[in-house]
Amino acid sequence: MLKKLKDICNPVVFDEIFKTYARDLKQFLYFKFKDRTKTDDVLQDTFVKLWTNCDKVDCRKVKSYLFTVANHLFLDIKRHEKTVQNHENTFVNYNQTESPEFLLIEKEYYEKIQKILNRLPERQREIFVLNRIEKKKYKEIAEMLGISVKTVEKHMHNALIFMKEQLGRKI
Amino acid sequence: MTQKYHNTYYLADWLAGKISDDALKKLVSETDFQEYMKIREASDLMRYFEKTDLSIPENIRQTYPKKQTTKRPISRQRLWVGIAASLLLLFGLYRALTFNTDVLIKTGVGETKQVALLDGSEVILNANSVLSYSKTGWDDLREVHLKGEAFFKVKKGSDFVVKTDQGQVKVLGTQFDVKALSDLFQVVCFTGKVWVKSNKIDAVLTPGKAVRQSDGLVQHWELRDSQPDWLSVESSYQETALKYVLRDLENQYNIHFDATGIDENVKFTGSFPHHNLQKALAAVFKTLGIKYRVKNHQIILSK
């Protein structure tokens, strides 16, 4: 069992590594790119690289390996984008327009929201997570928890107000 | 006159998409509207980060570096053996599907086993544990029985139920650890959500949350690990009665304790390694100030 645990070439171990680090790595990449497609691509490429080098990577150092590879891939893409942009700029006036509703969530803000979410009253948090993260409909949540849909709506409503008010405060 | 909106919980309606962003804009101040939009976006991001059904695509899997098989021509004899084996397999499959459909998996002392269930869910069974389930009706009801401890990685799908003598755990698709001993029932949730129900507990656990029931006492706590510690190289405890630690040591090392000379309910916080008995004993008993000596396969504990 132990020997197997250290062998990254074992698909089960590889899966485990993926499940352990994919989320942190994804988050790390997202706040660098601010773009989901690029994040997904690089996340994929990073794990593909680990897979092809599975016999060369030490399991104990797999975390730093993953983040280093991801960071290199990120820098490569940025370098490439810069070159392309410089090139384009010499021909056209590059006009970057963003839709007014486009919201950029910064890492700090995201972490703040996470903290606030953890401070929500238990029931509100539970329902908020079920709805926003697990994508359960109000009706499904009501059935799961044995409460009325109205109560679920009330908790969701109050959760949002609570979070908004907490955001207004200095933390 | 401005449009009136009647539902008191308009924010819930807005999140569910029942009213538009513009409609919400009319109901709240501009700054509040911006905050709500950002909260929604941030929670979408959370879902995006949480999504665990990511996996490496099949084409890359197939390049499994150590398993490159070479094709060999099939000889006539091999062909017949192959056909015979297939027939046997078909017969076996037929039997499995129609007759005996109960599956029982056991682990011995110091042994762990990894089991794949019919739907692709995975179970890693810790030492000295028994897992059983019935193949019939698996599609409608995913239900397993557990004695001992196991870590579950459940594929998304219909309800998945782990039954134990003391209570049950119900989930949709997640990773969690269940420990069901005769006098201890303990569940730790690692991802997703699980619903734990026993005569004393009725709780929904979110990632990092854990609950246990022993001697009629219910205790909730939180942890940071992404998988149970027994899957790695040591077991660790927080404020756990010594008797459970002793039992884990016995299961891990195939040893037996004589604990008549000490108080087994003293609480232990700390860990012991899985592959060095001397260090493990020292780690547990030195911290508790308990003396131990070995005598005919028994370890006698004293103050």
Side-chain angles (χ1 to χ4, degrees):
Chain A
M1 183 76 187
L2 258 191
K3 230 177 186 167
K4 266 202 250 161
L5 272 179
K6 280 181 182 157
D7 179 13
I8 302 174
C9 297
N10 177 342
V12 176
V13 176
F14 189 81
D15 259 13
E16 208 46 60
I17 292 171
F18 186 87
K19 279 170 193 156
T20 310
Y21 298 115
R23 190 183 65 175
D24 288 350
L25 208 54
K26 202 172 177 186
Q27 208 162 317
F28 168 79
L29 286 167
Y30 178 81
F31 288 118
K32 277 176 168 287
F33 281 122
K34 306 269 166 42
D35 180 300
R36 292 193 191 188
T37 319
K38 283 176 197 154
T39 299
D40 290 340
D41 287 351
V42 171
L43 185 71
Q44 186 85 315
D45 291 348
T46 305
F47 277 96
V48 169
K49 195 147 186 193
L50 176 67
W51 185 243
T52 44
N53 290 313
C54 69
D55 49 343
K56 298 181 199 93
V57 181
D58 182 348
C59 192
R60 283 165 298 183
K61 291 175 186 149
V62 70
K63 186 179 176 184
S64 67
Y65 175 86
L66 286 171
F67 279 86
T68 311
V69 169
N71 199 33
H72 281 159
L73 291 172
F74 164 76
L75 291 173
D76 284 350
I77 288 177
K78 277 289 146 194
R79 216 172 291 135
H80 177 73
E81 279 176 355
K82 216 170 185 180
T83 325
V84 172
Q85 213 176 28
N86 282 341
H87 186 67
E88 280 175 344
N89 277 345
T90 56
F91 296 103
V92 285
N93 191 2
Y94 205 66
N95 191 8
Q96 268 193 322
T97 45
E98 283 169 352
S99 76
E101 303 294 350
F102 185 77
L103 284 170
L104 209 60
I105 303 293
E106 295 295 338
K107 193 172 175 231
E108 291 71 27
Y109 184 89
Y110 179 78
E111 282 168 355
K112 207 166 151 187
I113 292 257
Q114 259 188 329
K115 274 188 205 151
I116 291 170
L117 183 67
N118 283 329
R119 242 181 277 150
L120 275 178
E122 180 61 32
R123 199 63 158 179
Q124 281 181 25
R125 191 173 71 102
E126 187 183 347
I127 289 170
F128 190 85
V129 168
L130 279 173
N131 174 249
R132 299 304 298 166
I133 295 163
E134 306 291 320
K135 283 284 167 208
K136 295 261 175 296
K137 296 201 171 70
Y138 297 156
K139 205 179 150 218
E140 292 172 298
I141 298 173
E143 278 164 10
M144 267 175 82
L145 302 178
I147 52 180
S148 72
V149 176
K150 266 275 166 279
T151 313
V152 174
E153 287 179 354
K154 185 175 107 188
H155 282 307
M156 284 302 288
H157 184 86
N158 290 341
L160 262 188
I161 289 179
F162 179 93
M163 291 172 90
K164 183 207 75 187
E165 277 169 2
Q166 291 280 317
L167 277 169
R169 286 189 202 163
K170 285 267 173 286
I171 301 169
Chain B
M1 195 185 119
T2 49
Q3 270 193 325
K4 270 207 170 164
Y5 188 70
H6 285 290
N7 192 347
T8 339
Y9 310 128
Y10 54 87
L11 290 171
D13 279 353
W14 170 67
L15 274 181
K18 272 194 222 156
I19 65 171
S20 68
D21 293 352
D22 285 337
L24 179 73
K25 228 172 185 168
K26 286 176 192 146
L27 291 165
V28 296
S29 74
E30 178 61 27
T31 43
D32 283 1
F33 174 71
Q34 287 302 331
E35 291 290 9
Y36 289 138
M37 292 286 283
K38 280 175 96 174
I39 293 170
R40 184 175 66 177
E41 180 69 18
S43 62
D44 279 346
L45 267 187
M46 270 175 218
R47 175 178 165 74
Y48 171 64
F49 295 143
E50 279 306 321
K51 256 174 71 181
T52 46
D53 45 319
L54 276 152
S55 70
I56 289 295
E58 208 49 44
N59 56 343
I60 296 154
R61 275 234 175 284
Q62 280 162 7
T63 60
Y64 184 38
K66 281 185 181 169
K67 252 194 190 165
Q68 270 147 11
T69 47
T70 45
K71 274 193 180 170
R72 266 184 306 182
I74 301 167
S75 71
R76 196 158 258 275
Q77 199 192 344
R78 271 176 173 275
L79 190 71
W80 282 112
V81 171
I83 290 169
S86 310
L87 285 173
L88 212 67
L89 189 75
L90 273 174
F91 179 67
L93 211 64
Y94 173 71
R95 288 274 308 203
L97 287 171
T98 49
F99 296 104
N100 187 8
T101 55
D102 283 347
V103 182
L104 190 82
I105 298 136
K106 276 185 185 173
T107 52
V109 169
E111 180 190 22
T112 54
K113 255 187 205 167
Q114 188 151 5
V115 186
L117 299 176
L118 298 168
D119 58 339
S121 296
E122 269 178 58
V123 184
I124 305 174
L125 208 55
N126 200 0
N128 242 354
S129 303
V130 185
L131 181 87
S132 63
Y133 62 92
S134 169
K135 281 184 183 174
T136 39
W138 183 260
D139 291 340
D140 308 319
L141 178 69
R142 301 188 290 172
E143 187 179 290
V144 298
H145 290 257
L146 173 73
K147 265 191 185 142
E149 181 166 22
F151 177 56
F152 292 87
K153 284 189 258 181
V154 177
K155 279 266 162 77
K156 287 215 162 73
S158 60
D159 284 1
F160 187 101
V161 182
V162 181
K163 288 210 161 159
T164 75
D165 290 344
Q166 294 191 62
Q168 64 171 36
V169 187
K170 191 166 161 184
V171 293
L172 293 167
T174 176
Q175 298 186 14
F176 60 102
D177 188 72
V178 180
K179 191 167 187 171
L181 307 179
S182 55
D183 54 352
L184 175 77
F185 177 48
Q186 170 181 308
V187 182
V188 184
C189 172
F190 293 93
T191 65
K193 268 185 157 263
V194 298
W195 179 28
V196 186
K197 197 165 165 57
S198 75
N199 55 351
K200 287 239 164 58
I201 310 171
D202 187 356
V204 176
L205 300 183
T206 50
K209 294 273 162 70
V211 64
R212 87 175 141 222
Q213 172 181 352
S214 72
D215 299 332
L217 228 78
V218 174
Q219 200 180 347
H220 285 264
W221 79 98
E222 287 185 31
L223 74 172
R224 298 181 147 265
D225 302 337
S226 57
Q227 61 171 23
D229 47 45
W230 60 264
L231 286 183
S232 55
V233 290
E234 58 173 31
S235 294
S236 55
Y237 303 88
Q238 267 184 20
E239 286 285 303
T240 308
L242 182 62
K243 57 181 172 183
Y244 301 120
V245 182
L246 294 183
R247 208 163 326 165
D248 285 349
L249 275 167
E250 286 176 341
N251 287 340
Q252 193 64 41
Y253 287 110
N254 197 13
I255 49 175
H256 192 73
F257 287 106
D258 178 355
T260 43
I262 55 149
D263 176 12
E264 277 189 288
N265 287 316
V266 63
K267 296 276 192 285
F268 174 69
T269 300
S271 59
F272 70 78
H274 282 177
H275 294 274
N276 188 328
L277 177 61
Q278 289 311 320
K279 278 188 184 163
L281 292 174
V284 176
F285 299 118
K286 289 221 166 119
T287 48
L288 292 171
I290 293 171
K291 292 196 185 94
Y292 57 94
R293 62 199 161 87
V294 185
K295 197 180 171 187
N296 327 326
H297 300 292
Q298 264 214 338
I299 296 174
I300 298 165
L301 304 173
S302 59
K303 286 221 166 148

